[in-house]
């Protein structure tokens, strides 16, 4: 189910930070109550391979997100305790020490299941035992959401496990949506901050294509 154009699910989820505090985070409320955009990114598992490179990459870009009035939140289905152990593991040993944004611990999979981003296939129900079995690890794909100040999802993207994300692309998308909000123009292909946008009508399209 796609959530673009819809409100992000109104759910409270356990989270962990680098101080070892466990607390509840409601992504929708983070956006609406703080009047900020939220960049929420899911990764499959703590203590794995591509995942720490992404968490460090988002951390390195924190100042850029803050400039854009955007909150960064990570998420996986690991428990808060596992998150804290990983947060205390040095970078040169595969850990994420130094990450300061909150990380959701959706171990009951309430939110990830609602979003439909879990790696499960071929569900089978055994009538004799009443058991349901699935294939897959029942962890999340690399899903990313940008939520605006009203709590509406304006971007949703999902990568398969081996494909790491480009953090700069999310900064570009936030810039583009902010331009739409502030200027009322739309952003054409490959648009970046400082480049020409266009009016959302036939004349605007013609004028843009004529000069590019």
């Amino acid at each position: 189910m796609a959530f673009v154009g819809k409100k992000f699910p109104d759910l409270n989820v356990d989270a962990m930070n680098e101080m070892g505090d466990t607390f509840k985070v409601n992504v929708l409320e983070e956006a609406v109550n703080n009047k900020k955009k939220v960049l929420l990114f899911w990764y499959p598992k703590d203590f794995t391979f591509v995942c720490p490179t992404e968490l460090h990459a988002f951390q390195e870009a924190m100042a850029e997100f803050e400039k854009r009035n955007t909150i960064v939140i990570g998420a996986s289905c690991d428990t808060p305790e596992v998150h804290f152990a990983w947060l205390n593991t040095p970078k040169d040993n595969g850990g994420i020490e130094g990450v300061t944004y909150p990380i959701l611990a959706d171990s009951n999979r309430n939110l990830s299941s609602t979003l439909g981003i879990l790696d499960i296939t071929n569900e089978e129900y055994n009538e004799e035992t009443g058991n349901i079995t699935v294939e897959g690890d029942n962890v999340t794909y690399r899903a990313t959401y940008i939520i605006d100040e009203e709590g509406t999802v304006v971007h949703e993207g999902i990568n398969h496990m081996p494909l790491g994300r480009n953090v700069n692309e999310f900064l570009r998308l936030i810039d583009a949506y902010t331009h739409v909000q502030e200027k009322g123009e739309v952003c054409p292909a490959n648009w970046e901050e400082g480049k020409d946008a266009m009016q959302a009508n036939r004349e605007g399209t013609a004028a843009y294509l004529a000069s590019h």
Side-chain angles (χ1 to χ4, degrees):
M1 176 181 175
F3 279 84
V4 171
K6 301 171 184 172
K7 295 292 184 184
F8 193 81
D10 184 7
L11 289 172
N12 296 319
V13 183
D14 284 339
M16 172 61 68
N17 63 19
E18 81 278 14
M19 302 300 294
D21 302 318
T22 302
F23 50 97
K24 295 288 186 182
V25 169
N26 183 308
V27 175
L28 177 66
E29 291 179 356
E30 287 294 307
V32 174
N33 293 348
N34 292 297
K35 295 181 172 55
K36 294 188 176 187
K37 294 180 177 66
V38 174
L39 184 291
L40 171 67
F41 73 96
W42 295 81
Y43 61 91
K45 298 177 184 178
D46 292 2
F47 291 100
T48 52
F49 319 113
V50 175
C51 296
T53 70
E54 292 193 314
L55 274 85
H56 285 297
F58 279 105
Q59 180 64 40
E60 290 165 8
M62 280 296 290
E64 293 300 319
F65 284 107
E66 288 168 2
K67 277 188 209 174
R68 292 160 172 82
N69 198 41
T70 299
I71 298 168
V72 174
I73 301 174
S76 80
C77 295
D78 294 279
T79 64
E81 294 79 10
V82 175
H83 284 340
F84 189 52
W86 204 25
L87 283 161
N88 279 280
T89 302
K91 184 177 180 179
D92 61 7
N93 197 28
I96 58 167
E97 188 177 43
V99 165
T100 60
Y101 49 80
I103 305 175
L104 301 187
D106 188 37
S107 55
N108 58 18
R109 291 162 173 75
N110 284 343
L111 181 53
S112 51
S113 177
T114 299
L115 294 171
I117 56 174
L118 289 167
D119 170 30
I120 53 173
T121 58
N122 298 328
E123 291 188 46
E124 292 186 5
Y125 175 71
N126 186 315
E127 292 185 359
E128 292 183 5
T129 64
N131 293 331
I132 297 174
T133 58
V134 301
E135 293 182 13
D137 290 338
N138 201 24
V139 297
T140 67
Y141 293 108
R142 299 186 192 282
T144 316
Y145 298 84
I146 298 173
I147 300 110
D148 73 9
E149 298 86 346
E150 303 299 321
T152 301
V153 177
V154 299
H155 168 81
E156 174 181 16
I158 304 175
N159 290 8
H160 207 342
M161 310 300 189
L163 305 177
R165 283 161 282 209
N166 183 336
V167 173
N168 288 330
E169 171 61 6
F170 301 113
L171 293 170
R172 188 193 74 84
L173 287 168
I174 291 168
D175 285 343
Y177 191 67
T178 301
H179 185 92
V180 172
Q181 289 174 306
E182 294 178 351
K183 306 294 185 182
E185 296 178 315
V186 294
C187 298
N190 301 321
W191 183 92
E192 294 176 347
E193 184 64 47
K195 290 187 175 181
D196 293 336
M198 53 196 283
Q199 294 297 318
N201 52 46
R202 181 180 177 186
E203 291 78 13
T205 302
Y208 180 85
L209 293 175
S211 60
H212 293 81

